[in-house]
Amino acid sequence: YRPWFIGAALVAMVFAWRQIYRPAGACQPGDVCAVPQVRTAYKVVFWIVALLILYLLHTSDAADDLLCVDLGG
């Protein structure tokens, strides 16, 4: 199932990127996405998750390392 999960993660990241990096003008003045601090926090979290996904893609044993368990591989 690994390729399916990789594909799902990449598709989710594309949709997240589109939402996070859309112009601030697309938000209504009272919306959360119009607040600069919130937009910055979303971007920071997005890139942390992106780096985590890249780490997990880089090594097949990353899940074992990250979870500190032996998954039998």
Side-chain angles (χ1 to χ4, degrees):
Y1 294 103
R2 187 170 186 230
W4 290 103
F5 287 118
I6 291 170
L10 294 177
V11 168
M13 291 301 288
V14 168
F15 283 115
W17 183 85
R18 289 184 62 194
Q19 286 294 321
I20 292 170
Y21 283 95
R22 68 181 174 179
C27 299
Q28 299 297 328
D31 288 345
V32 174
C33 62
V35 179
Q37 293 88 352
V38 173
R39 292 177 60 81
T40 301
Y42 284 167
K43 289 176 185 178
V44 168
V45 171
F46 173 83
W47 287 109
I48 289 171
V49 171
L51 290 173
L52 178 63
I53 290 172
L54 286 175
Y55 172 71
L56 292 172
L57 290 174
H58 181 266
T59 175
S60 61
D61 296 328
D64 293 344
D65 296 342
L66 187 64
L67 300 173
C68 299
V69 295
D70 183 17
L71 297 176

